[in-house]
Amino acid sequence: MITLYGTPLSGNTHKVRIALALLGLPWDERLTDAAARQSDAFRALTPMAQIPLYVEGDFSLRDSQAILVLLAARHRPGDWDGRTPEERGEVALWLSHAANEIANGPAALRLARKFGLDIAEEHAAAVTARFLPVIDAHLERRDWLAGGRLTIADMAASPYLALTGDAGIDIADWPAIHAWTRRIAALPAFPAMPGWPAEGAA
């Protein structure tokens, strides 16, 4: 059985939920709030004390992007992580954007405005302003980020862009991003989260 340590409002945890749900894999989710992450028991599992943490048997892996790479390689090789060197490069590009521009831009603004964390808001706003036009223009010409189909690039990049309202950003200003996040939320078995409901859910 897969155990996923995370929290309901974590976009990084939700990246992994999307992959597990679309694969039809059962998992046991363990609520791991800030206090739990500082416990000796959790630090024994991962010295970085970060979520999400994926555990399966004796194997454990931290970092949402790394977990997506694992799941794609194990369950959807080629389809989710690239069929050609060019596609694999494109997927890697968007995984990098998820860990850099998205994490340091919209995701950081969400931490400040929804959770009250002290961050460098001016820097996060500048990163966001530089990056959103790039991905919106990219998605104006295609339904998915890489390979002409859903890949782990979409799973990695989408949660914090779907949750831009929490960061004080009106997603309606970015119609291609908005349509893409709705496209993902309309996938069969998509797991809704607070702020990002399944498309068509009551």
Side-chain angles (χ1 to χ4, degrees):
M1 169 66 77
I2 295 166
T3 302
L4 180 64
Y5 293 82
T7 65
L9 295 178
S10 165
N12 284 325
T13 303
H14 203 65
K15 299 174 188 183
V16 182
R17 286 192 202 103
I18 293 171
L20 293 173
L22 296 184
L23 289 169
L25 297 174
W27 75 93
D28 174 33
E29 189 155 331
R30 304 279 179 89
L31 178 63
T32 315
D33 60 17
R37 295 197 290 276
Q38 298 309 313
S39 69
D40 290 341
F42 190 69
R43 284 184 174 276
L45 293 172
T46 172
M48 293 296 290
Q50 294 174 338
I51 55 171
L53 175 68
Y54 173 102
V55 178
E56 188 173 11
D58 295 331
F59 176 79
S60 64
L61 188 64
R62 61 180 170 84
D63 185 86
S64 55
Q65 277 70 241
I67 298 166
L68 291 176
V69 168
L70 165 76
L71 292 172
R74 180 175 290 171
H75 300 284
R76 291 287 187 85
D79 189 27
W80 274 10
D81 53 7
R83 294 170 180 156
T84 65
E86 291 79 9
E87 285 187 0
R88 288 194 289 275
E90 290 178 353
V91 169
L93 171 68
W94 292 103
L95 294 181
S96 179
H97 281 314
N100 290 286
E101 287 82 5
I102 294 173
N104 294 312
L109 288 176
R110 180 174 180 259
L111 288 176
R113 298 180 185 179
K114 186 173 180 67
F115 302 105
L117 271 66
D118 184 18
I119 67 156
E121 282 202 52
E122 187 174 337
H123 174 71
V127 172
T128 300
R130 187 167 64 249
F131 180 71
L132 289 184
V134 172
I135 186 169
D136 196 67
H138 182 78
L139 287 165
E140 282 180 353
R141 304 187 301 274
R142 52 185 60 79
D143 287 343
W144 308 104
L145 289 177
R149 63 188 180 281
L150 178 79
T151 68
I152 57 173
D154 302 287
M155 299 173 215
S158 57
Y160 288 113
L161 296 178
L163 299 168
T164 50
D166 291 344
I169 300 164
D170 187 353
I171 198 170
D173 292 337
W174 306 99
I177 296 173
H178 191 197
W180 167 67
T181 59
R182 291 184 63 182
R183 197 173 299 122
I184 294 169
L187 293 169
F190 173 83
M193 73 173 294
W196 192 11
E199 189 67 15

